[in-house]
């Protein structure tokens, strides 16, 4: 793009966003000529357009094109992007960079998929929000801080003064995503672009965020371009749905029509891949001692105020958990409930304050890192954010073989294993020579899973491992985990906020709230008849099922308002 400004007169009845014939070219060595090909769309004030499609379909490229943030190597070759009557892009020409900066934040805001890459790690969250107001307003410091504090309360972040002073790494994944959402909503833009904004959020926080976006639309007539792979969210918020595949528009129409009576086979395949809330019949599990076990595991953090006084904060209270051979145990709960703290204690990424931890028959709770290192191949982890798992300066092939070679595998065997894993995660073997930034978010998460499996662990700890994946790829990854588990007798500790995924994958489920395990048991029993009020609230907050219209080609599904307990009883 060039920086040639193109002033034009806004029309009184112009849509908030209009795209005509948009085409974005990929670099010459890419797997196809265009990231986006001949795309048309329109979003009017107060309307929500949901864009769905598999990883690599061009959804995020669409968002970055509208924001003027296209990655290096991508270029608009034809088409127009018009925002609130102003032409921003016309073929290879675009408005100046200074105009893009003026529009971002004030007229359009964006919520990125991965909050750790959107937030500055060296500034506090309050400073980053204040910076946006300093750039776009002439408000005084007191007025800016009052506005930020009010918004932190609006997005339901606890203790706004603490959040203001906290750096991103001091918050949970869900809390970081709410900070990013607050930044996008701070100046009440006319267009809000949301690129998987609820990916990292638990179901109750997700419901709150969706209500906030709905309130913003009602108050200010905001148009929303909502990119997501969660069909339950689409069913709740979309006015229209756009289905994309490999850069092309497959289907577009009113949400009810696309979700209930899809015309295209690809749309039907996407909808059929959505996991249900009804757990499958219980499996016959392998017998044997636990591969991973924690007894009365606790974690207390001690922070000191400016006077040096200790302020303890107990994040985990006396948790008992075990994972047997071939068993998948799910840990669910809201953001900040202690799920990740429990997992990090069990795999000794952080030291527990109390309790015992065993990897198979080896007690590891008191071992130092030198003695732990030779044992770490037994337990591997897939983190929530693949950008923090893959070294951006190394090819993905080097990243995949690194762990296996560190634990004694020779280079040739490690490379053969990496190639076989690429086949399993459905990426070409040639891609081993590429770098992480050359893959989509979903593809990077698949690579992170392959990297962990390459070490041939006995236990795999997956911390929101499929949260960034679209439903079809998610289904493939879940099948992959089951296949690996069946082949190796692998135990899986699966941390997730997606109750649908937990229902389909987990043999047992553990429910956490405020650092405590409040309920645990076989998944079908917990979903059918939860005994704790918190579990009932969690299940009630989950987006409801998608009902298939007769003749749609989709498998029979429960009605949209079917209670969870009734669904489970029907199983």
């Amino acid at each position: 793009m060039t920086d040639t400004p193109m002033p034009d007169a806004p029309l009184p009845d112009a849509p908030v966003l209009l795209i005509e014939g948009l085409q974005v070219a990929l670099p010459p060595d890419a797997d196809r000529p265009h990231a986006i090909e001949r795309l048309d769309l329109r979003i009017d004030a107060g309307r929500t357009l949901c864009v769905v499609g598999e990883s690599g379909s061009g959804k995020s490229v669409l968002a970055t094109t509208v924001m003027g943030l296209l990655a290096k190597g991508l270029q608009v070759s034809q088409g127009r992007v018009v925002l609130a009557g102003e032409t921003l892009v016309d073929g290879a020409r675009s408005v100046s960079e200074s105009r893009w900066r003026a529009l971002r934040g004030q007229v359009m805001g964006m919520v990125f998929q991965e909050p750790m890459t959107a937030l500055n790690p060296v500034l506090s969250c309050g400073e980053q929000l204040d910076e946006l107001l300093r750039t776009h307003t002439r408000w005084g410091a007191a007025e800016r801080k009052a506005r930020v504090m009010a918004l932190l309360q609006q997005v339901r972040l606890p203790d706004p003064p603490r959040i203001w002073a906290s750096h991103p790494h001091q918050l949970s994944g869900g809390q970081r995503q709410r900070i990013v959402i607050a930044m996008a909503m701070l100046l009440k833009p006319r267009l809000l672009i949301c690129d998987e904004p609820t990916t990292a959020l638990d179901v109750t926080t997700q419901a709150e965020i969706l209500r906030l976006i709905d309130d913003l639309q009602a108050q200010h007539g905001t148009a929303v371009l909502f990119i997501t792979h969660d069909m339950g969210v689409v069913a709740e918020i979309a006015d229209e749905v756009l289905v994309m595949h490999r850069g092309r528009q497959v289907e577009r129409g009113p949400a009810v029509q696309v979700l209930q009576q899809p015309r295209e086979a690809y749309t039907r395949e996407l909808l059929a891949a959505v996991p249900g809330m009804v757990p499958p019949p219980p499996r016959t599990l392998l017998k044997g001692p636990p591969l991973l076990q924690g007894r009365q595991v606790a974690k207390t953090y001690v922070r000191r105020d400016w006077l040096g006084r200790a302020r303890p904060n107990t994040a985990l209270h006396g948790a008992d958990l075990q994972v047997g051979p071939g068993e998948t145990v799910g840990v669910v709960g809201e953001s900040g409930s202690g799920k990740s703290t429990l997992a990090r204690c069990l795999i000794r990424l952080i030291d527990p304050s109390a309790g015992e931890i065993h990897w198979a028959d080896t007690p590891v709770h008191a071992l130092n890192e030198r003695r732990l290192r030779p044992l770490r191949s037994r337990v591997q982890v897939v983190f929530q954010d693949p950008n923090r798992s893959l070294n951006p300066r190394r090819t993905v092939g080097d990243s995949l073989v690194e762990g296996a070679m560190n634990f004694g595998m020779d280079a040739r065997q490690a490379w053969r294993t990496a190639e076989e894993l690429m086949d399993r995660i459905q990426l070409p073997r040639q891609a081993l020579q590429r770098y992480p930034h050359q893959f989509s978010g979903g593809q990077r998460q698949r690579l992170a899973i392959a990297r962990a499996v390459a070490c041939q662990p006995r236990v795999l700890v997956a911390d929101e491992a499929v949260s960034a994946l679209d439903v079809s790829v998610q289904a493939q990854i879940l099948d992959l985990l089951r296949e690996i588990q069946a082949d190796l007798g692998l135990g899986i500790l699966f941390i997730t906020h997606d109750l649908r995924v937990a229902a389909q994958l987990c043999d047992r489920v553990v429910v956490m709230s405020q650092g405590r395990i409040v309920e645990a048991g076989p998944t079908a029993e917990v979903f059918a008849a939860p005994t704790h009020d918190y579990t009932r609230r969690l299940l009630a907050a989950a987006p409801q099922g998608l009902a298939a219209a007769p003749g749609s080609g989709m498998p029979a599904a429960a009605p949209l308002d079917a209670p969870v307990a009734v669904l489970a009883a029907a199983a």
Side-chain angles (χ1 to χ4, degrees), residues 30 85 99 189 196 228 259 270 293 300 310 451 455 494 502 532 553:
R99 183 58 183 154
E196 303 281 7
T228 184
L259 296 177
L270 278 182
Q293 185 173 22
T300 299
R451 184 176 185 267
C455 296
F494 198 88
H532 198 278

Side-chain angles (χ1 to χ4, degrees), residues 55-329:
S55 174
S57 63
K59 306 186 301 293
S60 294
V61 173
L62 170 62
T64 54
T65 301
V66 176
M67 291 290 292
L69 296 171
L70 267 180
K72 185 178 180 181
L74 302 182
Q75 184 175 5
V76 175
S77 56
Q78 65 183 55
R80 297 173 67 230
V81 176
V82 183
L83 177 65
E86 179 181 358
T87 300
L88 305 183
V89 175
D90 191 352
R93 299 187 304 145
S94 75
V95 295
S96 66
E97 183 56 35
S98 61
R99 183 58 183 154
W100 282 117
R101 286 196 298 268
L103 292 169
R104 296 179 198 128
Q106 279 193 313
V107 183
M108 56 181 172
M110 183 167 178
V111 180
F112 292 93
Q113 180 177 354
E114 294 159 350
M116 279 303 287
T117 59
L119 295 171
N120 189 329
V122 302
L123 294 179
S124 73
C125 296
E127 289 173 324
Q128 296 184 60
L129 288 160
D130 184 63
E131 180 182 28
L132 183 63
L133 291 178
R134 290 200 315 271
T135 302
H136 291 285
T137 73
R138 297 182 179 179
W139 299 352
E143 188 177 4
R144 294 197 307 269
K145 187 164 186 176
R147 168 64 179 154
V148 170
M149 288 296 185
L151 189 58
L152 293 178
Q153 286 186 321
Q154 190 180 12
V155 297
R156 310 293 173 86
L157 281 163
D159 193 2
R162 180 181 67 83
I163 298 294
W164 171 284
S166 297
H167 287 72
H169 72 273
Q170 295 174 301
L171 304 179
S172 69
Q175 289 171 335
R176 286 194 293 266
Q177 189 65 292
R178 280 181 277 181
I179 291 292
V180 174
I181 291 169
M183 292 179 73
M185 296 169 61
L186 194 57
L187 291 171
K188 303 175 183 177
R190 294 195 61 185
L191 173 68
L192 185 63
I193 302 174
C194 302
D195 188 357
E196 303 281 7
T198 57
T199 291
L201 303 180
D202 55 78
V203 290
T204 53
T205 305
Q206 179 186 84
E208 293 168 1
I209 294 301
L210 296 179
R211 283 196 297 269
L212 284 171
I213 294 173
D214 186 61
D215 290 344
L216 183 66
Q217 285 184 293
Q219 294 172 20
H220 307 288
T222 305
V224 176
L225 176 64
F226 201 101
I227 297 168
T228 184
H229 61 257
D230 191 327
M231 292 297 185
V233 169
V234 173
E236 289 194 4
I237 70 168
D239 297 305
E240 287 189 286
V241 177
L242 169 65
V243 182
M244 295 183 67
H245 178 57
R246 293 182 63 81
R248 295 184 178 183
Q249 175 178 311
V250 173
E251 185 166 354
R252 183 184 173 192
V256 172
Q257 177 263 305
V258 174
L259 296 177
Q260 305 296 335
Q261 296 179 323
R263 296 187 298 267
E264 302 296 329
Y266 177 74
T267 309
R268 291 194 290 271
E269 291 172 7
L270 278 182
L271 293 170
V274 178
M277 286 287 284
V278 181
R283 300 184 301 158
T284 301
L285 298 176
L286 300 173
K287 294 183 179 180
L291 301 176
L292 175 67
Q293 185 173 22
R295 301 172 186 160
Q296 289 296 296
V297 180
K299 180 62 180 178
T300 299
Y301 294 96
V302 178
R303 300 179 63 185
R304 296 188 179 276
D305 61 19
W306 63 281
L307 291 175
R309 292 174 298 193
R311 295 189 177 277
N313 174 35
T314 301
L316 183 64
H317 302 263
D320 293 322
L321 184 146
Q322 67 179 34
V323 181
E327 182 183 31
T328 302
V329 177

Side-chain angles (χ1 to χ4, degrees), residues 449-562:
I449 293 171
R451 184 176 185 267
V453 174
C455 296
Q456 300 179 339
R458 297 301 313 280
V459 176
L460 186 66
V461 178
D463 188 354
E464 302 285 4
V466 297
S467 64
L469 303 180
D470 54 76
V471 289
S472 56
V473 177
Q474 185 181 85
Q476 295 164 13
I477 293 299
L478 296 181
D479 288 341
L480 171 62
L481 290 174
R482 294 187 190 100
E483 182 182 314
I484 293 170
Q485 190 174 52
D487 290 345
L488 305 176
L490 198 69
I492 299 177
L493 180 63
F494 198 88
I495 301 162
T496 184
H497 62 259
D498 192 329
L499 298 178
R500 295 177 182 276
V501 172
Q504 297 305 309
L505 184 67
C506 300
D507 302 296
R508 289 190 296 116
V509 67
V510 172
V511 183
M512 296 194 67
S513 175
Q514 298 181 344
R516 301 180 187 275
I517 294 177
V518 298
E519 187 163 356
T523 305
E525 293 180 13
V526 172
F527 274 57
T531 59
H532 198 278
D533 287 343
Y534 175 77
T535 309
R536 287 193 284 268
R537 291 198 303 271
L538 205 62
L539 291 169
Q544 299 301 315
L546 296 168
S552 68
M554 288 175 56
L560 291 171
D561 56 353

Side-chain angles (χ1 to χ4, degrees), residues 293-370:
Q293 185 173 22
R295 301 172 186 160
Q296 289 296 296
V297 180
K299 180 62 180 178
T300 299
Y301 294 96
V302 178
R303 300 179 63 185
R304 296 188 179 276
D305 61 19
W306 63 281
L307 291 175
R309 292 174 298 193
R311 295 189 177 277
N313 174 35
T314 301
L316 183 64
H317 302 263
D320 293 322
L321 184 146
Q322 67 179 34
V323 181
E327 182 183 31
T328 302
V329 177
V331 183
V332 301
E334 292 178 295
S335 174
S337 63
K339 306 187 301 294
S340 293
T341 300
L342 172 59
R344 288 167 188 261
C345 284
L346 291 174
I347 62 180
R348 287 299 315 276
L349 287 185
I350 58 176
D351 296 329
S353 303
E356 297 181 5
I357 299 168
H358 293 253
W359 296 352
D361 57 354
T362 305
V364 298
H365 46 276
L367 297 184
N368 59 31
E369 183 56 34
R370 182 181 62 82

